[in-house]
Amino acid sequence: MTAATLAEVLPAARAGRRMVAGLVCLGWDDARAYVEAAEAEGCAVILQAGPGARAAMPLWGRMLRHLADAASVPVVVHLDHGQSVEECRAAIGEGFTSVMYDGSRDPLDINIADTAAVAEMAHRAGLSCEGEIGFVGYASGDASRGTDPAEAARFATATGVDAMAVSVGNVHLKETGAVALDWPRLAAISAATGVPLVIHGGSGISAADRRRLARAGAVCKINIGTELRQAHGAALRRVLAADPALFDRLAIARAMQPDIVAATRAVLRGLAAAPADAASEGEKA
């Protein structure tokens, strides 16, 4: 199975009333575990390299592309929160199959212009592009600014993005508890545009709300980072507690792998509407 783009995996997800997980990668071991989990579940997955990971280590596009090209399921290699047009341009030549340009802190007209430029570059190369309208804040940082449905419609039309991240109560880096999603705002955005929607900060979304999002159909991609980083930390503590003399990094990683795969499989299984729910929604359409 060759690497895939958002334009290839999101429409199928929407039709099947499920979401594709955008999993935040911090290294080879977790990225490999995510692919193993996706193969075990028989579903597409999006491997994401965010700003922190890119600052700590280069060559993400090549590394993730290696995993994607060898996978038995569709794997999108995604630049998450690209911080400039030039950074996205470079990523397009480094093996990424999808780039997100994050102009959400900029005035609307600038965000539209820069995102459109990135989308045009990506499409010319046969790749996909995600943009963000509104601002998704942080659990212990900058506050969110909810997405305006009219602005979302304008953004989608003017940029030509393949996916659009929206702010509807979701926040990044949520470690405990669950956020209260603004369902009326999400419904208004969905009605205003047909572009597949993206929820950042998926770790703060409850299991019930994840299934509700999948059932509704408009949200096709949900980003999960903190939740799986917590699973990684728990696995590391378990392995070292079980064998205090263990020191070899490769041995530690091998011992942790089953835990990370299991946690990821649980996440992936929770991103689809129950069969009865999906059938009910289809009857209403």
Side-chain angles (χ1 to χ4, degrees), residues 7-285:
E8 291 168 331
V9 303
L10 297 189
R14 188 171 199 164
R17 291 293 195 269
R18 53 188 170 83
M19 298 182 290
V20 184
L23 302 181
V24 177
C25 301
L26 296 181
W28 170 259
D29 294 323
D30 57 356
R32 182 179 57 180
Y34 297 159
V35 172
E36 182 179 334
E39 290 180 320
E41 294 298 322
C43 65
V45 72
I46 302 162
L47 301 181
Q48 305 196 156
R54 300 197 301 272
M57 185 179 72
L59 303 179
W60 277 99
R62 295 181 189 178
M63 182 178 75
L64 298 182
R65 186 63 176 266
H66 176 81
L67 286 169
D69 286 340
S72 62
V73 293
V75 177
V76 179
V77 179
H78 184 70
L79 182 86
D80 193 27
H81 291 287
Q83 298 175 318
S84 70
V85 173
E86 286 308 312
E87 182 180 25
C88 292
R89 187 193 309 276
I92 288 170
E94 292 172 1
F96 288 93
T97 63
S98 174
V99 293
M100 178 206 179
Y101 176 72
D102 183 0
S104 61
R105 294 179 184 271
D106 295 329
L108 179 61
D109 287 344
I110 295 175
N111 187 10
I112 287 175
D114 288 344
T115 304
V118 173
E120 194 277 331
M121 285 192 301
H123 293 158
R124 191 168 60 242
L127 310 181
S128 58
C129 177
E130 175 186 333
E132 182 174 331
I133 180 68
F135 176 71
V136 180
Y138 292 80
S140 299
D142 294 342
S144 296
R145 184 180 71 254
T147 300
D148 178 89
E151 290 185 352
R154 179 184 166 199
F155 182 88
T157 299
T159 62
V161 290
D162 302 286
M164 186 168 63
V166 295
S167 177
V168 290
N170 47 313
V171 295
H172 291 101
L173 304 179
K174 181 76 169 163
E175 296 181 19
T176 60
V179 300
L181 292 178
D182 186 342
W183 295 100
R185 183 187 296 271
L186 180 59
I189 295 167
S190 301
T193 173
V195 175
L197 303 183
V198 181
I199 292 291
H200 285 231
S203 295
I205 310 297
S206 70
D209 281 351
R210 291 181 191 182
R211 290 198 179 276
R212 183 177 174 183
L213 287 168
R215 188 166 64 246
V219 176
C220 304
K221 174 176 180 277
I222 184 168
N223 291 1
I224 307 288
T226 301
E227 180 176 339
L228 289 176
R229 288 198 295 273
Q230 289 173 321
H232 189 279
L236 177 58
R237 287 188 290 272
R238 179 191 66 77
V239 168
L240 294 180
D243 185 357
L246 191 61
F247 67 89
D248 184 86
R249 290 177 61 183
L250 295 178
I252 292 169
R254 284 193 297 270
M256 292 170 57
Q257 186 88 352
D259 288 13
I260 308 305
V261 171
T264 307
R265 291 187 68 178
V267 167
L268 298 177
R269 285 194 296 270
L271 301 184
D277 292 337
S280 175
E281 287 294 323
E283 291 169 2
K284 296 176 185 177

